[in-house]
Amino acid sequence: MATEGLHENETLASLKTEAESLKGKLEEERAKLHDVELHQVAERVEALGQFVMKTRRTLKGHGNKVLCMDWCKDKRRIVSSSQDGKVIVWDSFTTNKEHAVTMPCTWVMACAYAPSGCAIACGGLDNKCSVYPLTFDKNENMAAKKKSVAMHTNYLSACSFTNSDMQILTASGDGTCALWDVESGQLLQSFHGHGADVLCLDLAPSETGNTFVSGGCDKKAMVWDMRSGQCIQSFETHDSDINSVRYYPSGDAFASGSDDATCRLYDLRADREVAIYSKESIIFGASSVDFSLSGRLLFAGYNDYTINVWDVLKGSRVSILFGHENRVSTLRVSPDGTAFCSGSWDHTLRVSTGITWLGCLLVCLLVFKKEVGGKGYYRKIDSRRD
C-alpha cells in the first residue's frame, strides 16, 4: 500500500536519499546568508554587568512536585499544578490560596490562566484539558462547574489560551497539538508533524498572531500556522528533548531549553539558530525558559536546582539564583516584567525580583547607615569629602 503512489524506478530508499539531499542543499543556502554571529554584532552594545536576584515570596501548599504555573494578566495571581493532583490559585502578594481544585488524576502537568482572569485550564495524565470558571465566592464548588474541553490519546503536556477565553491550544504525549473551542469542546485544528511526545508550546505574542511554536522529545522545535494546521518552520539543532519554548517579546524569535544542558535562540526571519547559551560547568538539563519584558535577559530553570540568567545579546551568564531544594520545573516572568515565579520539585513556588549592583549598593549603604554609623557617621564622611 505504501508504494502505490511511487513512479517507475522509485523506491522509498531513493526518496529518502533525495529528501536528505534537499535538506543538505537548504542548509547550504542558509549558511550563505549566515555572515556574522550574534555575539559579534553585540560587541558594540554595552554589557549589562552582574545583578542579584532575591526571592520575595515563597508559596507553600502543594504536597508534591510542582509541575507547571502561569500568571494572571492582573500581574498578581498565579495558578499552579502539581503531582499531588491539586491545582491552586494563589495571591502572590499575600501568599494566600484563593482557590483549590482536586483533579481526578495525579501528575497535573499543564495549567493556564485565561486572558480575562475568569477561568483556568489544566490537565495531565487524564489525557484531558479541563476548564474551571473562577468566581469571587471562594466556598463555591469549582469541580461542579468543570468543563472538559480537549481529549487526547495520551497525557496532556501543555496548554495555553489564545488571545481570548474562547479557544485553547493543547500539546500532548500523543505527538500532536490541537486547537479547541472552549464553549463546544469542538476540535478546530490539529497539528501533526512531531515524531514523538510534544512537551511544550508557546503562542506568538502578537494579538493578531496566528502562529505558535512547539517542542518535543524528537529534538525538534516547530512553528505552526493555526489557520492551515501546517508546519511553516522547523529547527533541529538540540541533542536531546526540548522541554520548553518561549517567544521573544517582538515575536521575531524564540528560545528553547533542552535536556542537552543548553538554551538556544532561533531567529525566524533568518530561519536559523543564532545563539547558544551554555557553560562547561552546566551539565544538567534546562527545564523552563522565559524572556524579560525587554527581551535582553533570558531566564532558565535547570535540573541542578538553579536559575541562570543569560544576556541574550552577549551570550554570557549574568546571574545565578539558588534557593530551590530540587529541580526547577517551571518558570514564568510576570506580565509587567517586575518579577518572575519559579516552581520546583521541592513542592514550592518562589516569586523573585532582580536587583542591579547599584541597587545592592544603595541597600548596603542604608543597612550600614542604620546598624553601624547612624546619621552622624555619614555627616562626618560628607564633611571630610568636602
Side-chain angles (χ1 to χ4, degrees):
M1 294 293 292
T3 59
E4 282 184 1
L6 297 179
H7 297 293
E8 188 178 354
N9 300 326
E10 279 186 339
T11 63
L12 289 176
S14 67
L15 291 176
K16 287 181 179 178
T17 302
E18 185 181 353
E20 291 301 320
S21 174
L22 290 173
K23 283 184 180 179
K25 290 180 180 179
L26 285 173
E27 288 301 321
E28 289 176 6
E29 292 300 318
R30 282 178 174 174
K32 290 178 183 177
L33 300 174
H34 186 212
D35 55 346
V36 65
E37 296 289 345
L38 177 64
H39 66 85
Q40 293 174 323
V41 178
E43 287 178 355
R44 298 186 295 272
V45 179
E46 186 177 349
L48 286 175
Q50 295 284 329
F51 73 98
V52 177
M53 295 180 291
K54 182 176 177 62
T55 299
R56 303 294 183 177
R57 300 286 187 274
T58 301
L59 310 181
K60 297 180 179 180
H62 282 295
N64 215 318
K65 301 169 185 174
V66 177
L67 302 176
C68 187
M69 58 79 50
D70 192 23
W71 286 90
C72 179
K73 286 285 196 294
D74 68 2
K75 313 158 197 167
R76 176 167 181 163
R77 287 168 181 80
I78 292 170
V79 61
S80 63
S81 61
S82 167
Q83 188 187 346
D84 61 9
K86 298 285 196 304
V87 179
I88 299 176
V89 176
W90 309 82
D91 183 332
S92 64
F93 290 3
T94 65
T95 72
N96 291 336
K97 304 174 192 67
E98 296 193 346
H99 302 279
V101 178
T102 301
M103 295 289 286
C105 69
T106 55
W107 285 89
V108 187
M109 302 164 71
C111 63
Y113 236 115
S116 68
C118 297
I120 56 171
C122 53
L125 290 185
D126 58 355
N127 301 358
K128 300 176 183 177
C129 181
S130 302
V131 175
Y132 294 86
L134 300 178
T135 64
F136 292 108
D137 184 3
K138 297 180 182 179
N139 297 319
E140 186 174 359
N141 182 14
M142 291 177 61
K145 293 190 174 184
K146 179 180 80 168
K147 180 182 291 186
S148 294
V149 174
M151 174 65 78
H152 284 273
T153 57
N154 209 327
Y155 66 88
L156 188 82
S157 56
C159 63
S160 177
F161 284 90
T162 60
N163 295 311
S164 75
D165 293 10
M166 294 295 101
Q167 293 182 351
I168 191 166
L169 272 168
T170 57
S172 170
D174 62 16
T176 69
C177 300
L179 178 65
W180 308 84
D181 181 80
V182 172
E183 191 64 33
S184 64
Q186 180 182 356
L187 175 64
L188 301 176
Q189 189 67 263
S190 57
F191 307 90
H192 300 265
H194 280 285
D197 301 18
V198 184
L199 300 178
C200 52
L201 61 80
D202 189 39
L203 187 70
S206 170
E207 292 184 3
T208 57
N210 290 298
T211 62
F212 72 95
V213 61
S214 62
C217 293
D218 57 0
K219 310 173 191 176
K220 291 182 181 178
M222 306 180 77
V223 182
W224 304 88
D225 188 324
M226 289 196 292
R227 296 162 294 185
S228 66
Q230 298 298 311
C231 174
I232 53 178
Q233 285 179 279
S234 180
F235 304 91
E236 191 175 0
T237 60
H238 277 292
D239 299 323
S240 191
D241 301 0
I242 296 177
N243 298 316
S244 179
V245 288
R246 192 73 64 208
Y247 266 99
Y248 191 76
S250 68
D252 294 324
F254 70 89
S256 60
S258 168
D259 279 341
D260 64 11
T262 69
C263 298
R264 298 172 188 245
L265 181 69
Y266 299 91
D267 191 310
L268 299 177
R269 297 163 298 183
D271 193 35
R272 66 176 300 111
E273 174 192 293
V274 293
I276 301 176
Y277 307 99
S278 63
K279 290 177 74 71
E280 288 186 5
S281 58
I282 300 176
I283 60 174
F284 290 88
S287 57
S288 188
V289 295
D290 201 3
F291 286 101
S292 63
L293 198 64
S294 67
R296 182 66 190 271
L297 299 175
L298 178 67
F299 298 87
Y302 288 80
N303 295 340
D304 62 356
Y305 315 170
T306 65
I307 296 169
N308 289 282
V309 186
W310 301 92
D311 183 330
V312 171
L313 295 179
K314 300 283 189 180
S316 59
R317 185 172 67 182
V318 295
S319 187
I320 182 169
L321 176 66
F322 300 93
H324 280 296
E325 298 172 4
N326 208 322
R327 66 169 59 183
V328 179
S329 53
T330 180
L331 183 150
R332 293 298 295 268
V333 174
S334 65
D336 61 357
T338 58
F340 67 90
C341 180
S342 56
S344 167
W345 282 18
D346 64 9
H347 308 180
T348 69
L349 296 106
R350 292 172 178 258
V351 180
S352 307
T353 60
I355 309 175
T356 63
W357 280 113
L358 178 60
C360 289
L361 179 61
L362 291 173
V363 170
C364 291
L365 286 174
L366 289 172
V367 172
F368 186 74
K369 177 180 178 180
K370 179 179 180 182
E371 296 183 359
V372 180
K375 294 181 180 178
Y377 180 80
Y378 277 88
R379 278 198 291 269
K380 290 178 183 177
I381 292 178
D382 292 338
S383 63
R384 289 175 189 171
R385 187 178 300 161
D386 294 335

